[in-house]
Amino acid sequence: MNPTLSSTAQPHLNRWTILIVSILINVCVGSIYAFSVFAMPLSKVFDATMPQIMMAFTINGAISPIPMILGGKLVDKGGARTAIFLGGAMFGIGFILSGLATAPWMLYLTYGVITGIGQGIVYSATIGNTVKLFPDKRGLAAGLVTAGYGGGTIVIAPIANALITGSGVQSAMMMLGAAFLIVILGCGLLVKAAPVGYAPLGWTPPVTAGRPGGTNFNWHEIIRKPIFYVIACLFLIGALSGMMVTANASVIGQTMFGLTAASAALFVSLYSLSNCLGRIVWGAVSDRIGRTKCLMAIYLVIAVMMLTIALSSSIVGFAVAIIGIGLCFGGTMGIFPSIVGEKFGMKYYGVNYGVTFIGYSGAAFFGPRIAGSVAAANGGVFTNAFYIALVIALVGFALTFVFKAMEKKTAETSITPTRAA
């Protein structure tokens, strides 16, 4: 199909409107990271330990590749709106049922499984559809739509806290669940699927591997390519430091820098804001200087920030470090959607990104555990964990040179996939 024809075939398609509503949808599902607001009140309601309650959040993160692949499959078949309706319904209902739970194991099912699957389907749909609609501005578009997800905590956490104070944690979860249903399903009505081979008027697809617009590989093919595993490892490394801090920012601030709980909460918000902005800034920059150069810069900044937080004893040093780490974590989440599309094509993008997302899942699983276990073995001090993250970031920097060499080899060798667009 001629890309220009596919874009003119839908004159009423306003991709910027779709981008805006996708951001709003992601603000709702991004509230998943505000779970710490609910955790303590829930532990009191159920008379349970914090690890028992936090297991719901762990389950939620661990299953993320599964719904990402499912949502991606729907997007690849032109069902972006269907995916948002399905995932949004599960997400909202999962929140409501979490408010009705009477034991931790019920939270594992409602918040961990139902909400987790719904969140993953929606997130996959908004990213996949948006990236397909912005082939000329992939980095910026991916950065903006993922910024909504990263900024969900900033918006939802204070609202949730106010509702918990006024009505109790279970009522708060039910009210939020109902609100999420209304917002996600309402915004979903404005989402239109990206046409096959969509290209905005006046934009010519770049020639990649000897073909205009590049080639398209399905997930069976990408997992046979060494570059896929390099990309997944780069994803894991880029997200690892961010997940280490995401789960422990408040504790780090209080135990290592003497902050009060209220002051530490402000720094958590600062970190979340940096995470949100990093997705936009690094995504836009990567459109100009290239994804690989951006990744190199991100890993170097992470290493410097980890050294800063490890050596600093001042609140200013802590602030500088979490801003830098937050920006880089956000940049990682904003850049990799574009990388997957550019290396493996857009025809099977939804599923391919879901498969690659296993890199993030690894970071979500190991990051908090590395930080927590190292701190526990060192009297609650996270310094050695920061040094570990520093070394891992330098490994990521070195790995970008392998990635760059693979890119060059791919550019020089025209590969005919099993299926072509």
Side-chain angles (χ1 to χ4, degrees), residues 238 241-242 245 267 270-279 282 297-306 308-309 316-332:
S241 61
V245 174
F267 279 84
L270 181 62
Y271 172 78
S272 297
L273 178 61
S274 301
N275 174 12
C276 181
L277 292 176
R279 299 174 188 233
W282 283 113
I298 283 174
Y299 295 132
L300 285 178
V301 173
I302 290 174
V304 171
M305 291 301 103
M306 285 298 172
T308 300
I309 197 172
V316 173
F318 177 55
V320 170
I322 66 167
I323 289 172
I325 295 168
L327 287 170
C328 290
F329 177 50
T332 296

Side-chain angles (χ1 to χ4, degrees), residues 291-301 397 400-401 404:
R291 319 299 178 199
T292 306
K293 289 181 180 178
C294 261
L295 287 178
M296 289 178 175
I298 283 174
Y299 295 132
L300 285 178
V301 173
F397 177 73
T400 57
F401 289 93
K404 188 175 182 179

Side-chain angles (χ1 to χ4, degrees), residues 358-408:
I358 194 171
Y360 169 82
S361 296
F365 183 83
F366 291 110
R369 281 161 179 75
I370 291 173
S373 60
V374 171
N378 291 273
V381 178
F382 289 82
T383 303
N384 288 342
F386 301 144
Y387 286 125
I388 292 173
L390 187 159
V391 172
I392 292 174
L394 292 178
V395 171
F397 177 73
L399 195 57
T400 57
F401 289 93
V402 177
F403 179 59
K404 188 175 182 179
M406 287 182 166
E407 284 187 304
K408 184 178 180 181

Side-chain angles (χ1 to χ4, degrees), residues 7-236:
S7 64
T8 57
Q10 295 197 26
H12 300 298
L13 178 66
N14 188 326
R15 61 179 183 161
W16 291 100
T17 297
I18 297 171
L19 173 62
I20 291 170
V21 296
S22 296
I23 292 171
L24 293 176
I25 290 169
N26 277 358
V27 168
C28 293
V29 295
S31 63
I32 209 77
Y33 289 115
F35 186 69
S36 59
V37 175
F38 304 105
M40 185 63 74
L42 284 172
S43 69
K44 294 177 180 177
V45 169
F46 298 144
D47 191 24
T49 65
M50 283 296 289
Q52 287 177 314
I53 298 299
M54 290 303 295
M55 180 57 67
F57 181 76
T58 301
I59 293 171
N60 183 290
I63 65 172
S64 58
I66 300 172
M68 288 286 292
I69 293 171
L70 175 58
K73 190 75 171 178
L74 290 170
V75 169
D76 290 343
K77 292 184 176 181
R81 182 184 294 176
T82 300
I84 289 171
F85 284 167
L86 173 62
M90 292 187 69
F91 185 79
I93 291 171
F95 248 88
I96 293 171
L97 293 177
S98 295
L100 297 172
T102 57
W105 70 265
M106 295 180 70
L107 276 181
Y108 304 159
L109 177 62
T110 58
Y111 194 91
V113 178
I114 299 176
T115 300
I117 292 176
Q119 161 220 333
I121 292 174
V122 171
Y123 186 53
S124 179
T126 54
I127 291 181
N129 195 53
T130 298
V131 171
K132 286 177 185 246
L133 285 171
F134 288 85
D136 54 331
K137 296 181 176 65
R138 282 196 185 120
L140 175 61
L144 286 169
V145 78
T146 59
Y149 189 75
T153 299
I154 302 172
V155 177
I156 303 300
I159 297 174
N161 188 61
L163 291 174
I164 292 170
T165 302
S167 305
V169 64
Q170 291 178 301
S171 294
M173 297 190 83
M174 287 188 283
M175 286 187 281
L176 284 171
F180 293 150
L181 274 174
I182 294 171
V183 174
I184 295 174
L185 299 185
C187 288
L189 292 171
L190 300 177
V191 172
K192 293 182 179 179
V196 175
Y198 177 82
L201 291 174
W203 179 76
T204 302
V207 176
T208 305
R211 298 185 182 188
T215 53
N216 292 279
F217 303 96
N218 61 35
W219 75 270
H220 298 282
E221 293 164 330
I222 70 171
I223 63 173
R224 294 199 295 266
K225 296 179 178 295
I227 196 171
F228 165 76
Y229 297 96
V230 173
I231 291 173
C233 287
L234 287 170
F235 201 168
L236 185 153

